[in-house]
Every structure is written in C-alpha cells, then in structure tokens.
Amino acid sequence: MKALHTVATGLLPSLCAACGRSCRPGAVVCTRCGRRLATAEPLGGGGPPGLDRCWSSAAHEGVARDLVAALKFRSLLPVAALIAARIEWLAPASMLSGAIVPVPTARLRSLSRGFDPAAEIAAALADRTGLEIRLCLARSGAGRQVGRRRAERIGHPPQIQARGRRSPPAPAPCVGPARSG
Ligand SMILES: [Zn+2]
C-alpha cells in the first residue's frame, strides 16, 4: 500500500489533504490549512476509568477533522506523518516516554483499507521519537463509530482490552483528535 501510494504521489499534482486545493509539491496541506492547523489548540484532561489522563493534539473539528478523514477514508498515508509530527511538537514531554501503544482499528476495516490508521500514526511517531511500539491491545465487537451520534459513541465505545486478557473489556481509551460537538 505504501509503495503504491508513493508511486501515485509521484504522478499526481500535490493537493491539500484537508481541502483539496493545490499546494506546494510534496506538501500534505496547503498554506491556508497549515495556518489553521497551527492555531488549533491541543486538548487535555482526565481520562475515563482506567486511564490517568487523555491528551489530543487538536479538537476533532476543522482541518484536524478533515485530515483524520483523509487518512481513514481516502488512504492518504502522508497524513499519518503530519499527525505524528504535530504530536511530537505539542505533546507534553512526559507523554513522549515509555512506549507507543496504538489502539487497533476493527480487523475487518483494517483488511478492507489495507492499513490501520492508528498503526500508521504510531509508526511515524516511533520514527520521530525513537520510542518502541507495543502492539498489546485487542479490539472486540463489531460496532462502528462512524455515523453514530456523539451520545451513542460515548455510550457504546469500542471494546479494547489487553491481548490475552480474560476479564471483561475496559472502555475504549480516548485517543486521537478529541470529539467535539
Ligand atoms: Zn487546504
């Protein structure tokens, strides 16, 4: 998938992953979207039960939301590197230690996409930071978050648990751009 994307990238003009307008060759976003993303404030706070805290490099809105959609639904893999760069740039130093643990996408969706967006971001972040990646989480349940209302997403989060764990699954941790509205 990466090789195919690299070939495609070399053949196509550079278009902003967020808005679709022309941008500098090799750039992921245009100047306008880059400026908007630069002004997006990170979010942080307490986590759900089982997590010490949550942090996101941006609210799930505007350019940040468009970039997540570009990665997940249009397979624009260079977006993962941009997100990783933003995380490295803005994350508190205490969060960039230990190991990176991507929360896995549902297996069927990973198979249909040919990649796992969280794993792509984790790999890019590991490249930038030198941190180890640990694939120690498993996802169960087939419920999709896409298309659900916010209350439904919060009320019925994906079930994530440590691999090999037999006790009831823990609620899904809050990762990636935070949902708003
Ligand atoms: Zn743009």
Side-chain angles (χ1 to χ4, degrees), residues 147-176:
R148 287 183 172 182
R149 293 171 185 247
R150 176 176 164 78
E152 289 179 290
R153 292 197 308 265
I154 293 173
H156 300 89
Q159 300 298 303
I160 309 294
Q161 60 190 24
R163 284 189 175 175
R165 184 175 170 186
R166 290 176 182 263
S167 57
C174 175
V175 296

Side-chain angles (χ1 to χ4, degrees), residues 15-23 28-34 36 63 66-67:
L15 299 177
C16 174
C19 73
R21 294 182 178 148
S22 296
C23 59
V28 178
V29 292
C30 68
T31 303
R32 189 184 71 148
C33 289
R36 289 183 176 177
V63 173
D66 292 341
L67 289 175

Side-chain angles (χ1 to χ4, degrees), residues 22-81:
S22 296
C23 59
R24 286 182 294 110
V28 178
V29 292
C30 68
T31 303
R32 189 184 71 148
C33 289
R35 284 193 190 123
R36 289 183 176 177
L37 187 62
T39 63
E41 292 288 329
L43 302 176
L51 291 180
D52 294 332
R53 63 176 169 157
C54 284
W55 180 88
S56 175
S57 70
H60 190 68
E61 61 189 20
V63 173
R65 182 178 184 145
D66 292 341
L67 289 175
V68 170
L71 175 60
K72 291 174 69 175
F73 306 120
R74 292 188 284 135
S75 304
L76 294 180
L77 296 182
V79 169

